[in-house]
Amino acid sequence: MGRFLFLFVSVLSFINLFQCKPADLENACDVKSKSFLLGTIIRYVTGDHSPSCLPSFSFFEGWGVYGTTARVNAITSYQGQIILGGEFTMVGIATGSAAMVDAQTGMSIPNRFCPHLKVKGLTNVVISDESGGFYIGGDFTHVQGIKRSQVAHILPGCQLDTNFVPAEDPNRNITALALLGENLYVGGMFTGWGSGSQNNIASIHRITGALNPGFLSPSYDNSVFDIVSDGSALYVGGHFQNVGGSPRYGLVKLSPVTGAVDSSFTAQAPASGQVNDLHLGTDHTGTSVLYIVGPFTGRAMSFYLNGTQTSWSPNPNAEVFKVKQFENTIYLGGEFTTIGVTPANYLVGVDNQLGAVKENSFAINNYVRSLNVIGNKLYVLGEFTEAKGQKRNYAASYDLPSQNLNQWDPSLNSTIYFPAGDIVLSGSTILMGSNFSTINTKLRNNFAAFDEETGYPVENTPNFDYSIKALHVKDNHLFVGGSFESINGIPRISFAILDLPSYQLNPTNIGVSPVGTDIRTITSNENQIFFSGYGLASVAGQTRNGLASIDSNSFGLTSWNPALGAGESASTLLILKDLIFVGGIFNSLNGDNTVLNYRAVDINTGVMRAIPSNANYPSNGVNGQTYFDGKIYLGGIFTSIGVLGTFNHIATYDTQTQSYITPNYIYADAMVSSLTASPEGKVIVTGSFSGLSGNTANQYIAAFDAKTNSVLDWYPNPNDVGNVSYYKNGKWFIGGDFINAFNKPYGAFFVSYMNEKN
């Protein structure tokens, strides 16, 4: 302990010696930074002797926004908190479809201890590698941003095994994994494996991922859903009806060496039956049996390992998806509501002799799609939202044999569907995989705030009933615009004022009308708050077409009234000295019907100025603008500016020469929604484009250097459009409609230093 205190005091003394304030940017090589101090202390305590300039542990957790619609439209900040507005119903940790969680609580293991796997795509199946790591299979393309085709090996410590590289195939879907000796058996839906012709089941080397060509099972006419082994043979279940030209209804026994079918094992599902899941267990005498479940007639049955059917017959009335055993109880999960004639909804424990109901008080309110028994706990995934009267979003756990609901509550963002869903234990940690994209969710309706240092959501923030499009902080108030009609049930049409730092709704209602107005942009100077939006017709009972301002102290309506045409609006407002540059879709300003889409007005009177031009206007809407080094960069839908020529979606206006710069060096091939410049001149562009200035390697979100007019080597490549970016203290906060960026899953929001490498 004395050595620890000495090190701590020494580091602080070193910082004080140089009398330097902490660095603005967190650089682990900078002894003035918190990262260096924390990293040094942690390395000392943990005995890590690696060079201290390696990146220190990050305490930041990446949370995102989620929901049926997940969209971020606006970002701002206040006193160490990042504030988001958009269209979403919850926030959660952006884990992707496989998450490491605490076995007792269901809380995510912090990224600094266990880097999130960030599986891009579905995770259907998870098994232990018997050495503290895992194999995962599914319909995914990347793990932790690195390309992996549907099968991956995760090492102890939550890192992708870069030595295990199976052959790529974009079309296969893996739903079954089994480990035996040096071989990993994979099953699912595929027509070949690399250079091999293996069909729906294959064997690969557990260390390298290379195909074992000697394992060549006959052709399967449909998918494989499960593979289990008794150490000398493989038992394969699935939705196949034919193997190697012979009828095999959902079940077959194979040689683990050659893949040959054991013809002496005649057990299978009833005619035309399909098998969802297998379990190698025991009957009431301790004899090994194979349990099978599915949509076949009877839906649950078992066989001795010689293929003879047992007398076990629970007879559920609807499909069973999973089967597992604990002591002498067999647990079934599915869509059933009775076992025989006994009511039993979706989850039940039956005896392992005849299948009579033993445990039936799970009180779960919807389908169970997956389950597993780990120790004396039963973990279940499915479509339910309650268990024993308590909220459980699609995941729950019970103590066995008491059936008591325990505290495990990972709170997923989406219903779990078959065959996506698996749970396996390593130490005190569970790896859970399925079709979810986030865990530990918290309800947030269209508004959220996150701690800038930790990434965790701030509690007690307000709920907005509809979309937010604009956020702006002025003094100790947050001004919010959008198409909402109420906040925490209190009426507010399209414009609201929140008191900071409490986020409580200010009692002032400025009286925007009509209902349906969509406020899209808000800005301010020293004494006024300016805003604009589609449909805005009046404020505080006075006519205001599209544009208005309120006093920043009293919140009363001012006389500033540039008056766009009826039904027209601005999407962006930029203040420079005594001017406001107004961009949007409009064809009238100050009653002048020759003005189109972009013009500057006086900040005090609202009267038009002949800037940028009184003759040459963008050919279509202006969505965003930013300022750097005497120049305004504007983007939108336009493709030309008056007679000045082609300006594809981006233009640069020089405020010194009061002219547009030609030729136009930076351009996009489709709509630009926003531009944001950093103090160093890096400009992030968001929109629906597929490239900047002819560089089609970056879509939806890209960046350029305003000093050199060159596109930057930075490629987030999200799967959907970007809407907004925000710069603060060396970091970029970026939002949109996307769920993936940098080949990693996110929830419509990510944070970047712009140093990611492909």
Side-chain angles (χ1 to χ4, degrees), residues 486-634:
S486 70
I487 303 164
N488 291 341
I490 301 172
R492 286 292 187 277
I493 303 301
S494 306
F495 190 97
I497 305 168
L498 302 182
D499 296 332
L500 297 173
S502 68
Y503 294 105
Q504 295 299 303
L505 181 64
N506 187 280
T508 302
N509 182 354
I510 68 169
V512 167
S513 69
V515 173
T517 296
D518 189 17
I519 300 299
R520 298 175 176 176
T521 180
I522 306 173
T523 191
S524 67
N525 66 353
E526 292 81 3
N527 51 29
Q528 290 187 83
I529 309 297
F530 303 90
F531 56 97
S532 178
Y534 176 78
L536 176 64
S538 72
V539 179
Q542 298 187 40
T543 299
R544 290 292 186 273
N545 286 330
L547 276 168
S549 81
I550 58 174
D551 185 277
S552 60
N553 294 307
S554 69
F555 305 142
L557 183 67
T558 72
S559 60
W560 188 80
N561 186 15
L564 296 176
E568 298 172 357
S569 72
S571 298
T572 176
L573 300 173
L574 176 66
I575 295 176
L576 288 179
K577 297 181 179 178
D578 63 342
L579 297 177
I580 298 183
F581 288 79
V582 181
I585 298 178
F586 53 86
N587 55 26
S588 178
L589 185 66
N590 289 171
D592 186 336
N593 295 329
T594 67
V595 179
L596 300 173
N597 305 321
Y598 194 58
R599 189 72 179 262
V601 301
D602 188 280
I603 201 166
N604 296 309
T605 66
V607 175
M608 288 189 300
R609 300 279 191 89
I611 296 174
S613 171
N614 59 4
N616 293 301
Y617 298 105
S619 60
N620 211 322
V622 175
N623 295 329
Q625 53 186 327
T626 192
Y627 177 82
F628 176 74
D629 194 25
K631 299 178 181 65
I632 299 174
Y633 298 86
L634 56 148

Side-chain angles (χ1 to χ4, degrees), residues 26 34-35 38 58-61 80-82 450-456 729 731:
E26 286 296 283
K34 288 187 290 185
S35 289
L38 290 172
S58 171
F59 288 83
F60 183 84
E61 288 285 339
Q81 296 177 355
I82 299 299
F450 298 95
D451 185 276
E452 192 175 344
E453 291 294 325
T454 67
Y456 279 83
N729 294 339
K731 290 186 288 190

Side-chain angles (χ1 to χ4, degrees), residues 443-464:
L443 296 179
R444 296 289 189 276
N445 285 321
N446 305 318
F447 182 94
F450 298 95
D451 185 276
E452 192 175 344
E453 291 294 325
T454 67
Y456 279 83
V458 176
E459 299 295 338
N460 301 314
T461 52
N463 292 306
F464 288 70

Side-chain angles (χ1 to χ4, degrees), residues 64-80:
V65 303
Y66 300 88
T68 304
T69 298
R71 174 178 296 131
V72 172
N73 297 321
I75 305 174
T76 190
S77 68
Y78 180 79
Q79 291 187 354

